[in-house]
Amino acid sequence: MLAIFNKGLVDPPKELNSPVSHPSGPGNKPKYPQDIVRIFQQAYSNNAPLSIGFGNSAFLAYSSSKGPQLHQKRIFCGMDNMYCIFLGNLNNLNTLIKQYGLGKATNEAMFVIEAYRTLRDRGPYPADQVLKDLEGCFGFVIYDGNAGTVFTALGADKRVQLFWGIAADESVVISDNLDVIKASCAKSFAPFPSGCMYHSEVGLTSFEHPKNKMKAMPRIDSEGAMCGANFKVDVSSKKASMPRVGSEANWAFSGSQA
């Protein structure tokens, strides 16, 4: 899967951008979104990916063909101008469907959109608690075209991996394919932290430890070059208040961005 969001839509942690991400040597520079799309399409040339663009704001692409994480299924869904790419499997999906009063044909991507809609429109309710209720392995990206927001989360068990990085025009790139991320973002990339969620109006937070702030840890590659930072829970730093979702504020969490 591939998601690209422009810098006006998503403001990632500044530490994700490597200071050596623009070397003079050819082949090591971050790419522009149009080139990143071509890189992704070439990676899945045997099964042309489905894609949808939203002007200069966002781009989503999905391929059902086997990729680097072979055991994980991928689902794409769009409802009411909200779009989700889901990776993994929810073991308690049937229970969640009953809890939310959804139809039996609801898949994981459809459920995630409905859960997001509930948080956005019917708060207040802790977003971290909703994610803790998901049993299984999962990673997903939601683009809300109505609110102009992005929400991404990755399960805590590490069976699904996501990576994020910075493109040449400072857009944010998210993918489960590490080779695509490396080719697209040069040194300005990192694993998306497990047990965490990112909302474009709030920033990066841990749903495993919602009371704690996040901190950036320097990351050096095998060549000794500074890469985009890893992000971990800061066990010694507490937030002033718990993140919550308010119906009037469209995911206006309390807390600060990493």
Side-chain angles (χ1 to χ4, degrees), residues 17-141:
N17 205 337
S18 169
V20 295
S21 194
H22 297 271
S24 58
N28 293 322
K29 297 180 181 180
K31 306 298 191 295
Y32 286 92
Q34 61 268 29
D35 299 316
I36 296 172
V37 172
R38 283 195 288 269
I39 290 170
F40 182 79
Q41 291 172 336
Q42 291 170 2
Y44 297 92
S45 57
N46 292 331
N47 190 351
L50 301 175
S51 63
I52 182 170
F54 304 88
N56 294 324
S57 297
F59 175 87
L60 300 175
Y62 150 85
S63 175
S64 60
S65 67
K66 292 183 178 180
Q69 300 174 54
L70 301 181
H71 58 293
Q72 305 299 349
K73 68 180 180 182
R74 305 167 189 175
I75 307 172
F76 176 82
C77 179
M79 297 190 301
D80 300 330
N81 204 25
M82 293 177 286
Y83 303 86
C84 175
I85 301 177
F86 182 95
L87 293 80
N89 183 69
L90 296 180
N91 300 331
N92 63 335
L93 179 61
N94 289 336
T95 300
L96 294 168
I97 287 173
K98 292 178 182 178
Q99 179 182 336
Y100 281 76
L102 304 176
K104 294 182 179 180
T106 301
N107 60 33
E108 283 91 343
M110 295 165 66
F111 166 76
V112 167
I113 287 179
E114 292 295 349
Y116 166 84
R117 189 206 305 268
T118 299
L119 285 165
R120 187 194 65 181
D121 297 342
R122 304 179 191 173
Y125 192 76
D128 58 275
Q129 188 59 56
V130 173
L131 293 175
K132 285 179 182 177
D133 287 342
L134 307 185
E135 298 176 5
C137 55
F138 65 89
F140 63 80
V141 177

Side-chain angles (χ1 to χ4, degrees), residues 69 71-72 87-89 137-140 154-155 157-162 176 192 194:
Q69 300 174 54
H71 58 293
Q72 305 299 349
L87 293 80
N89 183 69
C137 55
F138 65 89
F140 63 80
L154 183 63
D157 66 2
K158 301 182 180 180
R159 284 185 288 167
V160 174
Q161 291 181 300
L162 288 177
D176 63 327
F192 190 91
S194 59

